[in-house]
Amino acid sequence: MTQREHVPEVLPAPPASGTAVQPVPGTGTTALDAVPRRRAIAFLLAALGIVLVLAGLLLLGSSTVPGYFTGWAAGWIVVAAAAWLADSRTPRRWPGWALLAAVPQAIVNVVPAAPIGLISLVAVIASPALAVLAHRRFARLAEDLAELPEWRPFVR
């Protein structure tokens, strides 16, 4: 049996090449305000798409719809809003909560064939679209985190 040569576990590093990287001197940015503002805008868009628009359309059509239908649709809006708030740290699911709230109110407003029913059908598309926009606004991290000073500890 022949004895094998020992191979080191960590090989030597390759030679340094390329241009040297240095921090860019300059004044601070307003990025510290960007992260909380981004989240506030995302939550406002999601609340608009999941609760406010749909509840407003349900109230507009409530004069032509029997009370138990309105209560049923309002119950679904409340369930979707509670689920959205409980699941607020997972913005990719927000369009689902918006659709859960939009479909019952659209059905209730379409049943009596009121003119508000056509607007309610548009809300079935617009409500999840607002939630998707909120999700994209909430999940956009790269620009904000690159500007935060705690992520650049070596820059003075």
Side-chain angles (χ1 to χ4, degrees):
M1 200 180 229
T2 61
Q3 188 173 1
R4 292 189 171 178
E5 187 177 315
H6 176 70
V7 178
E9 292 180 20
V10 179
L11 298 174
S17 64
T19 59
V21 178
Q22 305 177 46
V24 178
T27 59
T29 65
T30 59
L32 287 177
D33 297 345
V35 173
R37 189 176 16 196
R38 183 201 58 207
R39 288 182 180 171
I41 290 171
F43 274 98
L44 181 65
L45 285 171
L48 190 67
I50 297 172
V51 181
L52 300 175
V53 168
L54 304 176
L57 288 172
L58 190 62
L59 285 174
L60 282 174
S62 65
S63 61
T64 60
V65 178
Y68 55 89
F69 277 139
T70 305
W72 175 74
W76 276 108
I77 291 173
V78 168
V79 166
W84 165 62
L85 289 174
D87 196 29
S88 65
R89 298 207 44 153
T90 314
R92 72 176 185 275
R93 287 187 255 191
W94 291 358
W97 302 128
L99 196 60
L100 180 71
V103 170
Q105 72 81 27
I107 291 171
V108 165
N109 283 332
V110 168
V111 166
I116 194 73
L118 295 176
I119 298 171
S120 294
L121 287 177
V122 171
V124 171
I125 297 168
S127 182
L130 280 170
V132 166
L133 186 63
H135 164 245
R136 288 187 180 160
R137 181 76 179 153
F138 188 83
R140 191 178 59 165
L141 288 174
E143 295 174 7
D144 298 336
L145 289 179
E147 294 292 324
L148 292 176
E150 57 265 15
W151 293 102
R152 300 182 300 164
F154 301 110
V155 177
R156 291 182 184 205

